[in-house]
Amino acid sequence: MQGICTRPPTGSHVMPRWCSIAISAAFSICAVVQHDSYVAVLDHTSGSRDLLALVRAPDLASLSDYAVRRLAGLPGIRAVRTHLTNELLIDASSWRLRALTSDKAAQIRPARPPRARAAQHVPDDLRTALERELWRDGRQPIAALAESTEFAPQRIADAVATLRQRGDLRFRVDLARGYTGWPIYTWYFVEAPARVVAAARTAITSVPEVRLAMTAASRYNLILAVWLRTLADVNRFEMALENALQGARIADRAVVLRIAKQMGRAVGPDTRALGHAGDALALPAHV
């Protein structure tokens, strides 16, 4: 199994953290790990790993404890290999299906800014309550959030508007991938000189297939998650990427055979969400 770990934001910045775990009993381990609250995403993959997980932790100590004690202690896991990510270049919240014309897209109303009288600071207890409830259902109306968190509706509305304006909270719609026209989901693990990684900051952002891009302090210093149209595109994308990033080498790749968990939801074989799998955990709200 290979896993990805994220740490909640300090200020408005999120620092993702990765951990790579090789396992021998993928199915049985998946059923256990899928319900861990630290695990946001869990993929069955091809290649040198059986599972790949996106894991989030409140700090490095908690991440270490989870990887070394929790995961390494599970029967069937052969090894735990951790890749600490130091910069998030692209996350899936900026990915677009590109089904709307530019005119239609322009009709989407932007988020309302905070009221002039709204408090500029969101207390930790209110923020934590909002993260917990919105992680479970991001479509809840203000009245429902007020009832479940026991904060006044106006405080809830002000806090949501403030967090959104600062970039600390983004509402994201995930799609059942099998119905998007992009059925092939692949991870690429890239080795690149530092100058190439610097160039990738601008080059990668213009590539429509890339859903997630991050740099890492590990053997693989650039890690990408990509959606493609066909299986043949896996090699085509690899060649195009190495041509675009001269000096980079794709050291490993993994095609996702099945998603077991996506942003806290269990996912079925048809790529549709089945329900929650694990409680919320101090989440970076935009991941």
Side-chain angles (χ1 to χ4, degrees):
M1 171 177 172
Q2 194 169 54
I4 313 160
C5 309
T6 65
R7 188 185 68 180
T10 55
S12 61
H13 300 285
V14 174
M15 296 295 291
R17 294 289 179 262
W18 287 72
C19 53
S20 173
I21 307 122
I23 67 170
S24 57
F27 185 78
S28 61
I29 290 297
C30 178
V32 175
V33 174
Q34 184 182 40
H35 292 279
D36 282 359
S37 58
Y38 273 34
V39 176
V41 174
L42 189 61
D43 295 334
H44 291 272
T45 67
S46 66
S48 60
R49 61 200 59 77
D50 297 304
L51 292 171
L52 187 147
L54 173 61
V55 180
R56 65 202 185 282
D59 49 48
L60 188 58
S62 299
L63 168 58
S64 300
D65 188 67
Y66 181 74
V68 174
R69 299 182 60 185
R70 165 63 175 166
L71 294 177
L74 291 174
I77 291 186
R78 298 190 301 267
V80 175
R81 299 185 302 275
T82 303
H83 305 280
L84 297 181
T85 303
N86 45 36
E87 185 177 1
L88 183 66
L89 306 180
I90 302 173
D91 71 13
S93 66
S94 62
W95 190 85
R96 296 294 181 263
L97 191 60
R98 294 177 292 282
L100 297 178
T101 65
S102 56
D103 290 341
K104 291 290 186 181
Q107 293 178 23
I108 299 174
R109 291 180 298 178
R112 291 181 180 178
R115 296 183 308 143
R117 296 175 57 190
Q120 296 187 9
H121 173 70
V122 179
D124 288 344
D125 57 345
L126 176 53
R127 176 173 176 146
T128 299
L130 284 175
E131 288 174 348
R132 181 185 66 246
E133 295 302 321
L134 290 173
W135 176 252
R136 291 173 179 160
D137 183 0
R139 296 172 294 184
Q140 294 184 68
I142 295 297
L145 288 170
E147 182 178 355
S148 60
T149 62
E150 299 184 347
F151 285 95
Q154 189 61 64
R155 287 195 71 191
I156 293 289
D158 288 346
V160 169
T162 298
L163 291 172
R164 294 188 73 180
Q165 186 182 63
R166 292 202 313 233
D168 288 346
L169 174 65
R170 302 185 205 171
F171 289 93
R172 163 178 158 181
V173 177
D174 257 319
L175 304 172
R177 197 187 74 258
Y179 300 88
T180 64
W182 302 80
I184 306 302
Y185 170 21
T186 306
W187 288 92
Y188 292 96
F189 302 89
V190 183
E191 296 176 347
R195 60 175 177 78
V196 176
V197 173
R201 286 181 172 85
T202 54
I204 291 296
T205 58
S206 63
V207 180
E209 293 86 356
V210 176
R211 295 254 307 171
L212 179 70
M214 55 182 72
T215 62
S218 72
R219 174 189 171 188
Y220 311 121
N221 54 353
L222 180 62
I223 302 170
L224 309 176
V226 177
W227 280 14
L228 300 166
R229 298 286 191 184
T230 69
L231 195 58
D233 289 334
V234 172
N235 288 336
R236 294 191 188 108
F237 181 86
E238 183 169 333
M239 290 186 290
L241 183 66
E242 290 187 338
N243 286 333
L245 301 178
Q246 290 292 326
R249 184 179 78 89
I250 296 177
D252 200 2
R253 77 284 298 150
V255 175
V256 175
L257 305 175
R258 177 177 172 181
I259 300 175
K261 186 176 183 179
Q262 173 67 15
M263 301 315 297
R265 271 74 172 172
V267 177
D270 63 352
T271 70
R272 291 177 179 269
L274 300 175
H276 286 278
D279 294 329
L281 171 73
L283 292 174
H286 76 277
V287 176

